[in-house]
Amino acid sequence: MAILSMSKTLFKSLVHGPYTVLYPVKKKETYERTRGRVEINISQCIYCGLCQRRCPTGAIQVNRGNTTWSIDRLKCIQCNYCNEVCPKKCLRMNNEYTSPSFGSVRDDYTNARVSGDKENN
Amino acid sequence: MFTFILRIIGIIILAPLAGGMLTGMDRVITARMQGRQGPPVLQPFYDVLKLLQKEPIEVNLMHRFYVYIALIFVIFTTVIMLTGGDILLAIFALTLGSIFFVLGGYASNSPYSLVGSERELLQMMAYEPMVLLTGIGLYYADNSFFIKDIVSAQAPAILSLPGIFLGLLFILTFKLRKSPFDLSMCHHGHQEIVQGITTEYSGRDLAVIEITHWYETVIALTLVFVFFATKAPVSYVFAVLACLLAYFLEIVIDNGFARVKWQLALDSSWIITGVLGTVNLIILSFFR
Amino acid sequence: MNIIYALILFPLAAAIVIFFVRNDSIRNAVVKVSAFVVAVLTLCVFAWYFQNGISFTPANGEIIDIVIMVIEVLVAAYLIIAGLKNKKYIVSVFSVIQTTLILWFELTGKQGIEVENSIIFDKLTAIMVLIAGVIGSLICLYAVGYMKWYHKQHKNYKERKYFFLAVLFLFLSAMFGLVLSNDLTWLYFCWEITTLCSYLLIGYTKTEEAKNNSFLALAINLGGGIAFAAAIVFIGINFKTLELSDLIAMKRSATVLIPVFLLSVAALTKSAQFPFSSWLLGAMVAPTPSSALLHSATMVKAGVYLIIRLAPLLGLSTVGIIVTTIGCITFLICSLIAISQTDAKKILAYSTLANLGLIVICASVGTQESIWAAILLVIFHAVSKSLLFLSVGSIEHQIGSRSVEDMDILLHVSRRLSLYMIIGMAGMFLAPFGMLISKWVAMKAFIDSNHILAVIVIAYGSAATLFYWTKWMGKLVSNANVKKQRKHTFFAEEEIPIFIHTVLVVLSCFGFPLISKYALVPFLTDLYGADAIIPIGTSDVKIMIVMLGMLLIIPIGFIPIYKQDKRRIVPIYMAGENTGDNETFYGGNGEKRKVELRNWYLESYFGTKRFSFWCNVISICVLCVGVIVLIGGFAK
Amino acid sequence: MIIGTCFFVSLISYRKKVVYYIMEQQIKMILPNELLTETLRLKNEGYRLVAITCTNKNGLELSYSFDKEYNFLNLRFVTDTKTEIDSISNIYSYAFLYENEIKELFGVHIVNIVIDFNNNLYKIPVKTPFNMKKEEE
Amino acid sequence: MGNRTVIPFGPQHPVLPEPIHLDLMLEDERVVEAIPRIGYIHRGLEKLVEKKDFQQYTYVAERICGICSFMHGMGYCMTIESIMDIKIPERAEFLRTIWAELSRMHSHLLWLGLSADAFGFESLHMHTWRLREQVLDIFEETTGGRVIFSVCEIGGVRKDISPETLDKIDRILTDMEKELKEITHVFLSDSSVKYRTKGIGVLSKQAAFDLGAVGPMAKASGIKRDLRTQGYAAYGKLKFEPIIETDGDSYARTSVRIKEVFQAVDLIKQAIAIIPEGGINVKVTGNPNGEYFTRVEQPRGSAMYYVKASGSKFLDRFRVRTPTFANVPALLETLKGCSLADVPILILTIDPCISCTER
Amino acid sequence: MNFIKKSPWILHYDGSSCNGCDIEVLASLTPLYDVERFGIINTGNPKHADILLITGSVNEQNIPVVKQLYEQMAEPKAVVAVGICATSGGIFAECYNVVGGVDKVLSVDVYVPGCAARPEAVIDGVVKALGILEQKQKRMRKRKYR
């Protein structure tokens, strides 16, 4: 009969205090490899469209004519495949994840200028 | 007469506040034991106030009636107990309230509510003998069923009723709906019968159930209280401390056990009642 | 002419008339009128003699004695032949034994014993007469409505309504005689007549099961009759008296306790306590009015009535302890077994057994408080239980089933009926209704008289009681969806008695302080010579009246709230697989599947099999111990 | 269509040149009507069913995979949607899930399944999704 | 059967993390019959091979299930590698092994937590999941994702773990082992937990064999079968014994999983000790042509992958037989005659991964 | 005062996700993230819930379930789609049995991206939904008093 065998852990936790990361106030540190969000250094992009073709979900749209590179944040699965295939290595996986939104988020990058919904960045 | 009415109003208002605060503390301590930060202490009040603001929905017309009437009878019990009334009568009134609550579960005619009701009834069957024996034990000890007489006795009742007190502590786990005996409904809904009787209640009705539970907490702790209180006012301090300690013990038990099945719930409580309660009573009856 | 004669003889006459009227509508009219007259007579007798009571011997006692003897012999002959014909020899044997015994005594020993008061009407008798008269007449009225459809639903039984109704009235007559007699031989005669009525009614349907059960009932009750007869002989020979009141007035001694024990055994058989309980369960095959009248409200009360009468001699005496123990076993075990039953009448039967057990405990404890509780229990139980039986009878009529599980649609079939039913059940186990008040006082009485076993038994037994009543109640309030309304007829003859019963249940709760003050306290004071006090404090009574008031007022108070607060109705939670009608969900193969909800019966825990045998063994052992102790003369 | 029902019963075993982990790929071609006898034989030898796989390329190619300890073996035959294939759920009770699935997704006509969901295992908008091309052609 | 309660259990139910439906037929609380219904998560991802090329499909394979994500990715890659005759670098094999065993730890801890929740032991659930977070931290540090790693690729792995990080992992695991012992002690010895698991859902060795049970379900019934012993990835170079129990009840299954957690710790430590230097991937050219069956041991049991390719970028057929699929018949067997209160535990006891099952 | 901001109760339903988001939703209840700090309870019962948290895309079979659950919730209520599958169908969008994101069936209030969505993102999403709940509550009250 082992009853209350949990009590040691319980009291230890009571004394130790919460293990909780008080998230909105304090953030848990991210790691270098943490996959958050794809970003592009648009000035280096050559609009080859390789990322668009390789993207498993079709989140990336590249338009060579308008020199725009855009990504649908609600489609991106952060697989990092685009980054790997990019011949110019101008794509980068950010540590910050895309924050939740009220509607679809499409980040458009035209040459050297970032446009789009600031709130959702 | 006027002061008496004032007192009753005071009880009706203050008892749920105390119960709510206790529940809030319970949630914080539980969270800390689980290594979590936990909600604010006032969280139970937020919950209830939110529920009161929600859109009222129901599954059929008769459904809500039972929880309101249960609340009324639980308040009635609280008033009887805290004004020093007859402890057996209080127990009966409480039972009446609980039965209405159970009927509420049946009235929804929903599968999970029904199973919850059955389990709740089974639990009532499991703990009711001990509650009755507690009243009887107190009568043996102090020759009165009236709480006002019991709390002004020469010696605390615990001295002659240690067995009964332990038995009561055991069934408090049922009363406060704590693990391992939270078969019929528990505060965290991860259970095979969803939320048991409360599954079909929402909004205001759920708030009423929550408030009922606060009153019940006060009632349960009053039962602990009377075991320690004597004529001397200083004993009241000890009695309150004993209540808090008992409540803390329940929290520890809540966090230290897996939920049992009905067989063990019934067996264990009847055996505990049978051993602790009746042996204590038999010994007492010898010395009468 | 004394009105008491009228009380006894009128039902007898009615029985004979009803037996010979073969036209349905005329007979129904006769029954209705007779029932009404019986009720009026009862009330008259009650009003006349309640205050002062009366005790007397009829002028022509000897003729009555002879008539009784002749009828006894005829009945015995009938029973012996019936026993032989159906190969139930034990019945014949029992019948022969007791008739010979009593005949021998009547012809030899009885000579020279003067009976001063053959008939005594005191407060207890008044209450019993009131119960038998009022409830009896209501049930007779109900039987008219009940029998109207009974044979339509059960086509395979032979229609013998005239017989059924006649026996009911015959029984009423016997029951009045039973509670009024002080002369033990008369009491015994009435006792035997009730046994006969019970036998006839149980066997009414003439099915194999009914036949077997009726003979079982007969055998056990005749067994009790033997004990009764032996007690009479013993008393007559040893104490040269045949008056119950004289016996009670005697001092406890080993010799006095022997007839007391025998009478108690007789009472236990009549009240169907363990180990004699099986007959009452079998009796449930009879049509419901007879179950209500004989097997719960009145006849079985005759047993406990006798024990209440004997109470001053029981107490903490050997016999008292034995009877208490048997009562304890019956109360606890039957409460537990009732949990495992689905048949409504079976539940009621077990509940009856349990409550009779409780009354037996109260009576045999024999203090003023406990007898106070016992008598109140008799009253409340009679009213509530007969209400429940009648309601179940009507429910069977409405929904065609006696199973508790089928009653979830009752709310849609007949709202009124379920309300009556709920009030009846509340009367059985809820505060502030009668049964609970009496239970409470009983508990207090047991504590005060240090019957610790009884206290514990009552604590556990009540918990079990709570379980089976509440789950039944739950079925009644559950709002099962029924797509189409069933057509039903609820005869006025059925509803009026049920309604009056319901009113009585509620009124008796309001009125119990009055009963206590005007009937019980004087009776108990007389019986014990010491001032009896009401065991419940006035403050508690007030609170209870408040509670009762709340129960009546709150539901009405809710009506305006409901009118004002209309809500959106959503389907019940079915884990997201609702089909939309609260009755079905999309099941395993994607097709609609009906939700079925069933109560718990915990067969493995509380099943009959688990308990019955051992409890019978234990209670037989207890009785044997009693016999040994008494024969050895150790009793005190 | 019937090309797949190759009329030879042969044991083909590949050996891969992978150094670290080699898994025996035994595929035994059988005829549809030999399925039950072959399965029964394997069952008696102590084999357990691992999976039933259907491939929709040049006819419906059914592979029944079995294992005994770590030994891995496949039975294979080719069929079409019309041929009745006997269920092996009488031999391996737990085959019913695989068979129902294949029946529903590929339209293989498997009969006598112990627990037959009648194409209700999954609720899908298209009928036999893995066999759509055929129907379009 | 008028005497039975028939209730729907799931798809949405608080004890079910994933939707599965059961029609439960109860007598009192005893389950007389349980009829399952699946298909709530059926996506039809096997068909997706026709739309995603075999490289992209790695990401789909990983998302067959979020708990055993790595194993699915690895199984898929191994199959393609076998078809294409690719020998991946040894270091990659070791890295795969380390991640696979970490996944096993994560999966078993997750399961332990859920089962604690199923029998109403909330604090145990919380503490188990608290420990699990440390494993997730290792994942995040080494792969960049907490549950979906995207680290396996055809021809090796995408990311290397630096020696410092390997040391750190070793340290973390050493610390964790102590805490794990404290928590698992409760699972194995607390009487209230034992009351809920001992003798519940007993599956005899014969029944487990006949019903095709795999993984801990089979191991707990005494069937000694662990595909890791066949030495895929780097398992051939590590020392371990498959864990078995013989009771076949829920307790035995808990015990098997707990032992496997410690075994996983041990295996990771072994792997870290002998991991060779070198590259982590080889370049893949061309398209696969041929077919192959691969079997790997997942936390839940053995999984089978089958790929048929005919030289194009798109595969002809991808098929996965997941362990839960094989365990469903055993689950239905154990459900018969259990109590309603045991249903959650019994469902969890096979460690159901419905999303794997239905694909 | 709107107390709904202080105690949002969630109902989690797994549409047809890969489990990744589900376990992250569960993880956000556990010590490290502990959403009970905000009064959030995972009720598992639509009747009690304020926020419907859906992970995974919807398919033929679970569309009625999702609708049913939403209908059984009391106003004010919000829908939060967690994970890429729930927002757009994700990598499975082209599967024959995937209808698409949750917004194909219900009006989604907050989209939480991520594959799998991190617990922090789940918390952010729920907190964002609180604002919507508050507005809905205000609207509801206005309707009531009009």
Side-chain angles (χ1 to χ4, degrees), chain A residues 7-20:
Chain A
S7 51
K8 192 178 144 204
T9 317
L10 294 179
F11 285 108
K12 220 160 73 185
S13 315
L14 200 58
V15 176
H16 177 279
Y19 295 89
T20 311

Side-chain angles (χ1 to χ4, degrees), chain C residues 528-545:
Chain C
Y528 283 86
D531 275 344
I533 45 156
I534 302 174
I536 299 182
T538 39
S539 64
D540 283 349
V541 173
K542 271 185 208 154
I543 291 177
M544 271 185 315
I545 303 272

